[in-house]
Amino acid sequence: MYLYNKKLIKEFIEDKNNIKKITKVYISKSIEDKIYVKKMIHDLKQHNIPIHIINSNIFKKKFNFLNHQLIVLEYYDYIYSSLKEIEENIYNSELPIIILGYKIKDPRNLGALMRVCYAFNIAGILIPMQDSASVNDTVIQSSRNSKIKIHRFQSISKILNHFISKKYNIILLDKNSEIKLHKLDYNFILPKSLVIIGGESGVPKEVIKNINNLKTVAIEIFNVESLNLTNAAAIFLYHFFSKKHK
């Protein structure tokens, strides 16, 4: 996987937990004398990370599929978390929430959702293995290196039954719900909640039809028919964050 934004690369290198993930760094010869590049090269050499300084034309040909800034960092693939890790993390989170992103196919939407969830320090995100974006270069770039735990699951029915058996609140964001977000207090999400957010095509009724105690919540909006999933998640999480700290 690649990072190709110089600010994100700088942040990635500064996090000591990421150093072992880096396989190599490519730098165009046209920028090797810049001060920030010299410092980066110095820092990378301290960790014996291979650095390839290559002709600018060759660089552009090699990475013509990226909207790069003449520097590219290559690193190991994203390591997904186990379900157990995310469940345990709920006790260390600002909000006792796990978000289930149902069939988010656009990697930029998944990356934006990761950024929102990381900002509000929730326990993690669950995504299906099928018909969903996986964590790739585009997702990481869109998330701005957000370090949120993500678990991939096989069966939507099994994952829902798991959380039902664990006594989680199962909450669906539904614009047609009679329960309005702005009227809810912090206790609504206690002791812990699984929040289902649909991808570009929403959440089909057959997915949730067997959830007996499903809670639906609507975000009241004006002038537009609906919000995209990231905006909805941000409003939902901020609402309960503000209620917790009022």
Side-chain angles (χ1 to χ4, degrees):
M1 295 177 70
Y2 297 111
L3 282 178
Y4 40 90
N5 175 290
K6 64 185 181 183
K7 183 175 184 294
L8 295 184
I9 290 172
K10 179 177 180 292
E11 292 173 356
F12 192 88
I13 293 171
E14 288 174 349
D15 187 336
K16 294 180 180 179
N17 294 322
N18 290 331
I19 293 299
K20 291 182 179 180
K21 299 178 185 178
I22 303 172
T23 54
K24 56 179 76 75
V25 175
Y26 298 91
I27 299 172
S28 170
K29 194 169 183 61
S30 62
I31 64 167
E32 68 173 322
D33 292 328
K34 293 186 178 292
I35 294 175
Y36 77 89
V37 174
K38 286 184 175 181
K39 182 180 185 307
M40 189 177 292
I41 291 173
H42 175 269
D43 293 342
L44 291 168
K45 285 182 175 179
Q46 301 302 305
H47 299 284
N48 298 314
I49 293 170
I51 303 166
H52 299 267
I53 298 176
I54 55 181
N55 175 277
S56 59
N57 290 328
I58 295 173
F59 187 98
K60 290 175 182 178
K61 287 180 181 178
K62 182 177 179 65
F63 298 108
N64 66 350
F65 59 96
L66 299 177
N67 183 23
H68 57 72
Q69 297 175 332
L70 301 177
I71 181 167
V72 173
L73 181 148
E74 183 180 283
Y75 63 103
Y76 290 122
D77 283 350
Y78 182 85
I79 300 173
Y80 292 95
S81 299
S82 68
L83 185 57
K84 181 180 180 182
E85 286 177 309
I86 290 180
E87 288 186 271
E88 289 176 348
N89 193 42
I90 206 162
Y91 300 105
N92 302 316
S93 302
E94 177 68 23
L95 297 173
I97 287 174
I98 297 170
I99 282 185
L100 191 160
Y102 185 76
K103 294 190 176 182
I104 302 172
K105 297 182 180 182
D106 187 330
R108 290 164 296 185
N109 284 341
L110 179 57
L113 179 63
M114 288 171 62
R115 192 175 184 187
V116 165
C117 292
Y118 182 60
F120 289 102
N121 189 24
I122 70 166
I125 300 171
L126 312 179
I127 58 174
M129 290 186 178
Q130 305 296 326
D131 295 323
S132 177
S134 57
V135 179
N136 58 21
D137 305 337
T138 303
V139 171
I140 296 296
Q141 297 288 337
S142 300
S143 76
R144 309 296 291 186
N145 284 342
S146 298
K147 300 170 183 65
I148 186 78
K149 294 180 183 297
I150 296 183
H151 173 73
R152 299 179 80 194
F153 61 85
Q154 286 274 13
S155 167
I156 183 66
S157 58
K158 286 183 179 179
I159 202 78
L160 289 175
N161 287 337
H162 171 82
F163 283 98
I164 291 169
S165 69
K166 292 291 189 72
K167 308 300 182 185
Y168 274 69
N169 299 307
I170 311 296
I171 301 170
L172 173 70
L173 296 191
D174 179 0
K175 64 180 182 180
N176 297 316
S177 174
E178 294 181 1
I179 300 173
K180 308 304 180 185
L181 178 65
H182 68 273
K183 296 182 179 180
L184 301 177
D185 62 21
Y186 184 67
N187 291 330
F188 184 79
I189 60 171
L190 295 179
K192 49 193 177 181
S193 295
L194 177 73
V195 179
I196 305 170
I197 295 179
E200 294 79 10
S201 300
V203 180
K205 290 182 179 179
E206 59 266 22
V207 169
I208 55 174
K209 66 180 180 180
N210 294 323
I211 305 175
N212 293 328
N213 295 314
L214 178 69
K215 297 181 177 181
T216 60
V217 176
I219 299 171
E220 282 198 300
I221 54 176
F222 305 92
N223 301 324
V224 293
E225 184 178 345
S226 62
L227 297 170
N228 69 32
L229 64 96
T230 305
N231 289 338
I235 293 170
F236 182 89
L237 295 176
Y238 179 74
H239 173 82
F240 289 107
F241 175 84
S242 64
K243 292 294 182 182
K244 180 179 180 180
H245 294 282
K246 66 178 181 179

